[in-house]
């Protein structure tokens, strides 16, 4: 349920209302807006047992949240969430590009790549130290040694680091080094892991599942948020479809759809979708053109020696080319379009 407060409702009224709801034993989430504050009450209408919500001080409207995801929904939190990673802003119209190798291999490579992607305009460095590989006989990641290499690259460049966490047992180690924790496609519905991540005070990049729907993606975000961590960045990395020409298929329409349904930032991972270097940049461009808040993209200085995903790694010069193209891109603005759509005089022109 949500309570939309009156325009200009006083702080006193807002506090009285919140306290009353808490006294009734319900959890509250507060979303102060430019004009109106929205108070979210966690729980279904039936849980609220006919409480006189509309008579609470300062309340203008009582609405039911129709979506199964509550904290992640735009109804609950009308303003865009901006996730702040050591000063790098993700969401709310800020462009954030994260780049780096699929897996951390050698310290020299990671440092070289961190410097190169930074020079081209990347704001964060990615790199896997715990790798989810299809075969148990392939490189599984350097684990804590890899995290240390990322930390050295951060010390050299100042770029915050994004790295994947696969298991509850590695939380403490990954937490120590990461600025953003990545939850990959394979763990997108690992609910016990999501709940543990929800207890941390660290931003999360949550990818969609291998064959996950958009709603499942939002429900996974809800798992994290329900434990208190609201700093969730959704990442579209494509799903497996009947199309075999590319590794995975990203439906870029989901960007404006998600922007309507959720306040969380949405970024695109074109690398794991395209799967091959020549198609990564065009898909990255499409994602940014449709209004995504950013990219997470794989770059390697010597793809043929990369220990994972070399086929889809951009070279630093490809990354530079893409970034300069993005500088000249005017992205679609869905909010502006919605405003335009409201102003139209008629849906039907009779001639
Ligand atoms: C990765 O980012 O290297 C990765 C394994 O991604 P995904 O979980 O999307 O497959
Ligand atoms: Mn990869």
């Amino acid at each position: 349920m949500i309570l939309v407060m009156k325009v200009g409702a006083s702080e006193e009224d807002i506090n009285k209302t919140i306290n009353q709801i808490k006294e009734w034993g319900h959890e509250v989430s507060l979303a102060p807006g430019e004009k109106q504050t929205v108070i979210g009450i966690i729980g279904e209408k039936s849980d609220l047992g006919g409480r006189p919500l509309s008579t609470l001080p300062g309340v203008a409207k009582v609405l039911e949240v129709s979506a199964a995801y509550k904290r992640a929904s735009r109804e609950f939190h009308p303003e865009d969430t901006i996730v702040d990673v050591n000063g790098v802003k993700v969401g709310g119209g800020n462009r954030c590009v994260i780049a780096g190798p699929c897996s951390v291999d050698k310290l020299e490579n990671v440092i070289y790549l961190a410097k190169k992607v930074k020079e081209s305009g990347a704001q964060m460095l990615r790199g896997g130290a715990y790798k989810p590989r299809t075969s148990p006989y392939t490189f599984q990641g350097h684990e804590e040694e890899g995290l240390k290499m990322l930390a050295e690259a951060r010390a050299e460049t100042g770029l915050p680091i994004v790295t994947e966490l696969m298991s509850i047992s590695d939380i403490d180690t990954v937490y120590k080094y990461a600025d953003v924790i990545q939850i990959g496609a394979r763990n997108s519905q690992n609910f016990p892991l999501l709940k543990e991540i929800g207890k941390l005070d660290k931003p999360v990049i949550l990818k969609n599942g291998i064959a996950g729907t958009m709603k499942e993606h939002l429900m996974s975000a809800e798992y994290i948020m329900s434990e208190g961590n609201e700093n969730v960045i959704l990442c579209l990395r494509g799903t497996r479809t009947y199309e075999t020409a590319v590794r995975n298929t990203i439906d870029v329409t989901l960007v404006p759809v998600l922007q309507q349904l959720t306040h969380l930032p949405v970024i695109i991972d074109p690398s794991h979708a395209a799967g091959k270097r020549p198609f990564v940049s065009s898909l990255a461009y499409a994602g940014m053109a449709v209004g995504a808040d950013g990219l997470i993209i794989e770059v390697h200085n010597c793809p043929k020696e990369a220990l994972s995903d070399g086929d889809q790694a951009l070279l630093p010069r490809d990354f530079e080319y893409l970034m300069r193209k993005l500088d000249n891109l005017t992205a679609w603005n869905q909010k502006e379009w919605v405003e335009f759509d409201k102003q139209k005089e008629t849906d039907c022109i009779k001639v």
Side-chain angles (χ1 to χ4, degrees):
M1 302 289 288
I2 43 184
L3 307 183
V4 181
M5 303 304 278
K6 289 178 185 152
V7 178
S10 69
E11 222 180 295
E12 196 190 338
D13 279 354
I14 294 173
N15 287 336
K16 272 192 196 156
T17 293
I18 292 176
N19 290 339
Q20 178 61 73
I21 299 164
K22 285 188 180 160
E23 253 175 56
W24 286 334
H26 302 291
E27 251 187 89
V28 165
S29 128
L30 187 66
E34 238 170 69
K35 291 190 198 125
Q36 278 170 296
T37 294
V38 172
I39 298 174
I41 311 173
I42 318 295
E44 302 297 327
K45 194 176 178 188
S46 53
D47 302 336
L48 288 154
R51 306 272 192 207
L53 298 171
S54 56
T55 63
L56 292 173
V59 173
K61 260 191 289 186
V62 180
L63 302 171
E64 228 179 306
V65 178
S66 45
Y69 40 90
K70 310 285 178 201
R71 293 173 197 260
S73 80
R74 177 92 55 199
E75 290 167 279
F76 221 80
H77 188 294
E79 310 269 320
D80 289 346
T81 281
I82 299 176
V83 176
D84 190 311
V85 184
N86 306 345
V88 176
K89 298 201 171 7
V90 194
N94 301 287
R95 181 183 93 177
C96 175
V97 179
I98 304 159
C102 174
S103 50
V104 174
D105 43 35
K106 288 195 277 204
L107 180 64
E108 308 83 89
N109 287 348
V110 185
I111 293 195
Y112 175 80
L113 283 166
K115 287 182 179 162
K116 287 306 266 186
V117 300
K118 184 181 176 179
E119 260 169 47
S120 298
Q123 291 126 299
M124 290 196 234
L125 174 69
R126 64 148 288 149
Y130 295 83
K131 294 304 303 175
R133 304 304 301 280
T134 304
S135 163
Y137 307 118
T138 53
F139 178 62
Q140 304 283 301
H142 287 313
E143 304 188 343
E144 192 167 3
E145 285 315 303
L147 296 174
K148 287 183 184 160
M149 295 184 209
L150 287 168
E152 280 203 44
R154 171 178 52 202
E156 284 266 338
T157 59
L159 293 180
I161 55 187
V162 177
T163 197
E164 179 161 358
L165 169 72
M166 293 205 300
S167 154
I168 291 181
S169 58
D170 298 320
I171 289 182
D172 291 347
T173 315
V174 172
Y175 181 88
K176 209 157 68 181
Y177 298 92
D179 297 297
V180 179
I181 294 176
Q182 176 180 320
I183 299 295
R186 290 152 193 83
N187 270 313
S188 193
Q189 286 192 307
N190 181 341
F191 302 123
L193 178 65
L194 299 179
K195 284 195 205 168
E196 288 308 310
I197 297 303
K199 295 177 188 149
L200 304 179
D201 56 354
K202 219 159 256 215
V204 183
I205 289 181
L206 174 68
K207 296 207 187 185
N208 62 271
I210 299 255
T213 63
M214 187 198 64
K215 187 169 171 205
E216 285 165 340
H217 198 184
L218 287 166
M219 291 311 294
S220 293
E222 191 73 15
Y223 261 95
I224 299 173
M225 298 173 86
S226 69
E227 295 292 332
N229 188 348
E230 309 248 313
N231 287 315
V232 179
I233 300 162
L234 300 171
C235 174
L236 299 175
R237 51 81 75 198
T239 46
R240 184 168 295 163
T241 66
Y242 53 81
E243 183 54 75
T244 54
V246 288
R247 189 173 175 186
N248 290 293
T249 301
I250 291 184
D251 178 355
V252 291
T253 328
L254 293 182
V255 174
V257 175
L258 279 166
Q259 284 169 342
Q260 192 175 317
L261 297 176
T262 181
H263 52 92
L264 298 173
V266 180
I267 65 169
I268 296 276
D269 172 350
S271 309
H272 292 87
K276 292 187 193 94
R277 185 164 66 92
F279 314 117
V280 170
S281 298
S282 38
L283 180 56
Y285 196 81
M288 292 310 287
V290 84
D293 295 297
L295 298 170
I296 180 163
I297 190 157
E298 291 184 345
V299 182
H300 201 283
N301 47 304
C302 183
K304 67 175 189 312
E305 286 179 11
L307 296 178
S308 57
D309 286 348
D311 288 352
Q312 67 195 32
L314 293 188
L315 285 157
R317 53 137 213 223
D318 305 331
F319 181 66
E320 166 66 19
Y321 177 91
L322 168 65
M323 292 298 276
R324 298 295 71 84
K325 286 281 179 193
L326 293 178
D327 286 342
N328 294 318
L329 175 74
T330 307
W332 181 259
N333 182 332
Q334 184 70 7
K335 275 194 203 151
E336 195 181 285
W337 184 85
V338 169
E339 284 310 309
F340 164 76
D341 195 42
K342 273 188 202 155
Q343 289 162 17
K344 69 176 179 254
E345 280 163 21
T346 174
D347 279 334
C348 168
I349 300 165
K350 290 210 190 297
V351 288

